[in-house]
Amino acid sequence: MSTARRDGRARVLGTLSRWGPLSQAELARRAALAPSTVSGLVADLADAGVLVELADRSAPGARGGRPATLLTLHRSAGVVLGIDLGKAHVRVALADLAHRVIGERSVPLEADAPADHHLELARGLATDLLAEGAPGADVVGVGCGFPGPVRATGGGGVDPTILPGWRDVRPVERLEAVFGTAAAVGNDANLGALSESTWGAGRGCSELAYVKVATGIGAGLVLRGEPFGGYAGTAGEIGHVSLDPGGRRCRCGSRGCLEVLAGGQALLARSGRASVREVVHAALAGDEASAAAIGRTGSWLGVALGGLANLLNPQRLVIGGEVAATGELLLGPLRAALAGSVLGSAAAGLDVVAGELGERAEVMGAVALALRLARPVLP
């Protein structure tokens, strides 16, 4: 096989892994290959059993009755794992290269557990999912998310103030050693942005910000259709934008950060509740103090997001995380404060919506990350 044909096959496989089922015309466009070239490659891969056709019944053909045909990868090309490592849980999702989720599992986690314990739990969950849903399948990519800044260089080091058990650990190397395949890591908010833009509330947006509002506050950015991590991979740390330089000290060392004013500890202090989950449940049940605390968080978020909107001019702000479950209790005050802090030109066409993937946003972002680096198996 010529080098050009081998490269073309790899491009077709990588494009279908990243984007999921595509028409042949869309595959040629996204792979930047001539339609005639793609036609030949598709025929070869179909003969090999790696590529299969699906009927897209949501898009009738030109004559109105016959569904359009989509191309996708057969499960024999491999599967991927998405791992969400939180401070209090490990969640794993298994998916094939056609973007079908085969299964998900999660287990609670002791605070500040060592990296080896995280990885052992993740491997156990992955082994169970593979045995139940895809026995014998090859794992061809692993994505993993962490609840804090993740360096883009040096093996993707994790901030030890969030996960002290990962101090001096190179997570990409460890994941590749445990699972025996290519791995990539990311910050949980960045992965939330990736998943919501791929399958959720951000579909079709080339510029969006996903804001995770939970115990902490972080943002993930998608610019020109691609995740944006910044020079060192720490872009989007909106929770540590100082809104009150004379305010209370934040865990990051600065004063008056958004996280201090609107994060989990502020919610607990204003509501008198013991956990963020309790605040959310109480607010939804009609407790006035909890609802007021949620509203105050929304107002501070609106102020901070006005600055982000002025700088980046996103098309959509997607609000996720545990607190987003309160819906308009959070989003109403957020929109009101945002209207007073954003330029009219930046506000034009700007949508503020709740995320669609809920607590699955981060693990599905890890799946999307894995799909981008997957190395499909060829016969």
Side-chain angles (χ1 to χ4, degrees):
M1 180 185 296
S2 69
T3 299
R5 196 156 189 82
R6 186 180 298 109
D7 290 346
R9 280 165 58 118
R11 189 176 296 184
V12 166
L13 291 168
T15 301
L16 286 171
S17 176
R18 173 175 175 175
W19 296 103
L22 296 171
S23 68
Q24 187 162 310
E26 183 68 6
L27 173 59
R29 187 183 72 80
R30 291 189 182 276
L33 292 169
S36 57
T37 300
V38 168
S39 181
L41 293 168
V42 164
D44 288 348
L45 292 168
D47 288 343
V50 175
L51 188 148
V52 294
E53 294 184 351
L54 299 174
D56 180 13
R57 302 194 179 278
S58 66
R63 297 184 181 179
R66 185 177 177 182
T69 298
L70 300 180
L71 305 172
T72 193
L73 296 177
H74 189 268
R75 189 167 293 178
S76 62
V79 295
V80 297
L81 291 166
I83 303 170
D84 172 25
L85 294 181
K87 284 185 68 66
H89 70 269
V90 175
R91 180 176 286 114
V92 177
L94 175 69
D96 63 22
L97 303 189
H99 292 208
R100 291 181 292 240
V101 176
I102 299 168
E104 288 182 51
R105 283 196 176 185
S106 66
V107 293
L109 181 70
E110 295 180 6
D112 302 336
D116 286 342
H117 185 54
H118 286 199
L119 291 169
E120 190 60 35
L121 286 175
R123 178 164 55 182
L125 294 175
T127 298
D128 291 344
L129 288 170
L130 285 162
E132 292 174 4
D138 292 296
V139 177
V140 295
V142 174
C144 185
F146 294 89
V150 177
R151 292 193 304 274
T153 57
V158 180
D159 184 350
T161 63
I162 306 294
L163 292 177
W166 286 79
R167 184 183 297 275
D168 300 324
V169 175
R170 298 167 71 90
V172 171
E173 291 180 6
R174 294 297 300 278
L175 287 162
E176 291 182 343
V178 168
F179 292 101
T181 189
V185 297
N187 162 268
D188 57 354
N190 291 339
L191 295 187
L194 182 56
S195 65
E196 290 285 357
S197 67
T198 304
W199 298 296
R203 290 188 305 275
C205 293
S206 61
E207 277 76 32
L208 71 88
Y210 169 85
V211 185
K212 182 180 180 181
V213 190
T215 302
I217 299 173
L221 306 173
V222 172
L223 303 179
R224 295 186 178 179
E226 295 291 336
F228 179 77
Y231 170 69
T234 61
E237 287 297 325
I238 195 171
H240 299 290
V241 171
S242 177
L243 300 178
D244 180 10
R248 188 159 55 87
R249 183 79 67 181
C250 178
R251 62 187 173 89
C252 73
S254 297
R255 290 186 178 276
C257 291
L258 174 63
E259 197 168 287
V260 167
L261 298 167
Q265 291 304 312
L267 278 172
L268 302 186
R270 292 183 182 122
S271 66
R273 299 286 170 172
S275 70
V276 172
R277 179 158 295 186
E278 282 188 24
V279 180
V280 170
H281 288 169
L284 290 172
D287 179 71
E288 292 184 2
S290 297
I294 295 290
R296 187 63 174 156
T297 284
S299 294
W300 279 117
L301 281 168
V303 172
L305 291 173
L308 183 148
N310 287 336
L311 284 170
L312 298 179
N313 187 210
Q315 178 183 354
R316 190 167 297 166
L317 297 175
V318 179
I319 312 300
E322 197 170 11
V323 181
T326 59
E328 288 302 312
L329 292 176
L330 177 74
L331 297 184
L334 191 161
R335 291 192 188 99
L338 179 67
S341 59
V342 68
L343 293 172
S345 56
L350 175 61
D351 294 328
V352 180
V353 300
E356 294 180 2
L357 299 177
E359 65 179 11
R360 301 177 64 235
E362 286 72 37
V363 76
M364 290 306 298
V367 168
L369 194 63
L371 287 167
R372 285 170 171 249
L373 60 84
R375 298 168 181 169
V377 175
L378 289 172

